[in-house]
Amino acid sequence: MSLVGKKFPNLNVDAMNDMGDTFKLNVLEEAVNNKKKVVLFWYPKDFTFVCPTELHAFQAALPEFEKRNTIVIGASCDTPEVHFAWLNTEKDNGGIEGVTYPILADSNRNLSSVLGILDITNETYDEETGTVQVEGDNVTYRATYIIDEDGVVQHESVNNMPLGRNVGEYIRLVDALTHVQEKGEVCPANWEEGKDAMNANRNSVAEYLSAHAN
């Protein structure tokens, strides 16, 4: 079930920062209390392959998000201790040393379960043991959420494990959301900051299509 247009779940989750501090972080409260947008991105596992490239890409873009009044938060189902070990592993050795934004440690899978982004392909009930057994790694897909200053989800996307994200697209989407909020216009396909937007009516779309025929 999509969360777009709905409040982000109000849950406290363990998190780790680059100083080695474990603390509780509530994504909804981060948005609402700080009056900031939040980009929350989930990745499958620490110490893997595509994942560190994404964490470093978000770190490189952090100044651009900060200029846009936007908080970046990473997340996986690893424990805080594993996050800290990865944060202390050099980039040349596959680590994420230098990443400064917080990383959720949803090891009990409370939040990722609510979001429905876990890699569970099948569940079976074992009558002999009275347990539910799952197929899949029970880790998260590459899910991304953009949450506005009121805690409402404005964007949601999920990539399969091998498909890394384009961080620039989330900057573009934050720009588009800000334009809608400030100008009251809607953003057409391939819109970027500085390009024409349009009003949400028939005459405006006709004018836009006429002006951008090529």
Side-chain angles (χ1 to χ4, degrees):
M1 182 186 300
S2 175
L3 284 179
V4 171
K6 303 179 180 71
K7 289 275 190 179
F8 193 81
N10 184 12
L11 287 175
N12 295 320
V13 182
D14 284 340
M16 171 60 67
N17 62 23
D18 60 324
M19 302 300 293
D21 302 318
T22 301
F23 56 99
K24 294 292 184 181
L25 192 153
N26 184 307
V27 175
L28 176 66
E29 291 179 354
E30 286 294 301
V32 174
N33 293 349
N34 294 300
K35 287 299 174 187
K36 292 178 181 288
K37 297 178 179 66
V38 174
V39 172
L40 169 67
F41 73 97
W42 294 79
Y43 61 91
K45 298 177 184 178
D46 292 1
F47 291 100
T48 52
F49 316 112
V50 175
C51 296
T53 69
E54 293 192 314
L55 274 84
H56 285 300
F58 275 103
Q59 179 66 34
L62 197 58
E64 293 300 319
F65 285 111
E66 290 173 345
K67 284 194 298 187
R68 291 161 170 81
N69 196 42
T70 301
I71 299 168
V72 173
I73 301 172
S76 81
C77 295
D78 294 281
T79 65
E81 293 80 10
V82 174
H83 284 339
F84 190 54
W86 205 24
L87 283 162
N88 279 281
T89 302
E90 294 179 352
K91 189 174 182 179
D92 290 347
N93 200 28
I96 58 167
E97 187 179 41
V99 167
T100 60
Y101 50 80
I103 306 174
L104 298 185
D106 189 36
S107 54
N108 57 18
R109 290 158 173 77
N110 285 345
L111 181 54
S112 49
S113 294
V114 171
L115 297 175
I117 56 173
L118 289 166
D119 170 29
I120 299 175
T121 56
N122 191 36
E123 295 184 29
T124 56
Y125 178 73
D126 188 314
E127 293 185 1
E128 184 176 340
T129 61
T131 60
V132 175
Q133 299 180 4
V134 301
E135 295 178 17
D137 288 338
N138 202 23
V139 298
T140 65
Y141 293 107
R142 299 187 192 283
T144 315
Y145 299 86
I146 297 177
I147 301 146
D148 70 15
E149 298 86 344
D150 294 319
V152 176
V153 177
Q154 297 290 335
H155 168 86
E156 173 183 36
S157 60
V158 183
N159 290 10
N160 207 346
M161 309 300 188
L163 306 178
R165 282 163 281 215
N166 181 340
V167 174
E169 171 63 4
Y170 302 105
I171 294 174
R172 188 193 74 84
L173 286 168
V174 168
D175 284 341
L177 174 56
T178 302
H179 186 91
V180 171
Q181 291 172 325
E182 295 179 351
K183 305 294 186 182
E185 296 179 317
V186 294
C187 297
N190 300 323
W191 181 90
E192 294 176 346
E193 181 63 43
K195 290 187 175 181
D196 293 336
M198 57 190 184
N199 294 313
N201 60 58
R202 183 173 179 177
N203 289 338
S204 184
V205 69
E207 291 172 5
Y208 179 88
L209 292 174
S210 177
H212 299 82
N214 296 323

